[in-house]
Amino acid sequence: GSKWTKSTISYRVVRYTPDLPSDTVDSEIAAALNVWSKASPLKFVKSSSGQADILVDFATRSHGDSYPFDGPRGTLAHAFGPGEGIGGDTHFDDAESWTTGSDGFNLFLVAAHEFGHALGLKHSRNQASLMYPTYKQRDRDNVLSREDTSKIGALYS
Ligand SMILES: CC(C)C[C@H](C(=O)NO)C(=O)N[C@@H](CC(=O)O)C(=O)NCc1ccccc1
Ligand SMILES: [Ca+2]
Ligand SMILES: [Zn+2]
Ligand SMILES: [Zn+2]
């Protein structure tokens, strides 16, 4: 696949982390998707049951795909590139402490990075990019670099 061939993409949160109220998880996930809808023609709609393009899940260790999580730290989350079935699905390691602040790991920031992968972006070698491989604190109101914006623009122009 490498990119979605439709402009409205559905998502559903399958399981929630115990670290945060579920409506907080919902709003952080929606905010992370909004980062990308602002930089592309893509729209995201939330469904509360049944199938969806992007299934969001919190899990630990072995969790039904070939990429078991690794306990605290290390891998924080992963996402599959666009496509049917597992394509787009985004999993967060629930061994991490998920927060809305600067302690633990900020769910919004990690989700914004993961959804870049779920939309077809690879890692960047540019430290300024949200798609740089390693986590660091960023200004929530300005998470995309010019490179991120041009990459998603080129993919979904
Ligand atoms: C090989 C993959 C599965 C590593 C995985 C990742 O890149 N997921 O998208 C991940 O959890 N990377 C860590 C860093 C690492 O494992 O060395 C990370 O901080 N990812 C989240 C992240 C990265 C950059 C900005 C915001 C969030
Ligand atoms: Ca981990
Ligand atoms: Zn997984
Ligand atoms: Zn990544």
Side-chain angles (χ1 to χ4, degrees), residues 76 113 123-124 127 129-138:
L76 307 183
H113 173 92
H123 282 153
S124 163
Q127 281 228 21
S129 166
L130 177 64
M131 299 313 294
Y132 189 70
T134 49
Y135 175 89
K136 76 178 174 82
Q137 280 299 340
R138 288 173 184 275

Side-chain angles (χ1 to χ4, degrees), residues 30-40 108 112 130 140 143-144 152:
L33 288 166
N34 191 44
V35 163
W36 297 107
S37 54
K38 282 189 303 186
S40 73
F108 163 76
L130 177 64
R140 179 182 182 96
V143 290
L144 296 187
I152 198 74

Side-chain angles (χ1 to χ4, degrees), residues 3 7 11-13 21 28 43 52 84 93 95 98 122 152:
K3 67 176 279 193
S7 59
Y11 72 98
R12 177 163 80 85
V13 182
E28 296 299 280
K43 292 197 176 333
E84 294 303 310
D93 187 350
W98 296 106
K122 302 278 172 252
I152 198 74

Side-chain angles (χ1 to χ4, degrees), residues 63 65 67 69 78 80 91:
H63 57 275
D65 59 26
Y67 308 95
F69 284 131
H78 54 223
F80 296 86
H91 302 157

Side-chain angles (χ1 to χ4, degrees), residues 93-157:
D93 187 350
D94 223 348
E96 316 303 343
S97 168
W98 296 106
T99 74
T100 55
S102 56
D103 53 337
F105 290 99
N106 185 279
L107 177 59
F108 163 76
L109 285 175
V110 178
H113 173 92
E114 297 310 324
F115 292 139
H117 290 312
L119 299 182
L121 297 187
K122 302 278 172 252
H123 282 153
S124 163
R125 298 153 61 98
N126 188 329
Q127 281 228 21
S129 166
L130 177 64
M131 299 313 294
Y132 189 70
T134 49
Y135 175 89
K136 76 178 174 82
Q137 280 299 340
R138 288 173 184 275
D139 172 5
R140 179 182 182 96
D141 298 326
N142 191 14
V143 290
L144 296 187
S145 70
R146 283 194 301 276
E147 181 192 273
D148 299 317
T149 302
S150 70
K151 287 269 174 68
I152 198 74
L155 196 54
Y156 292 100
S157 57

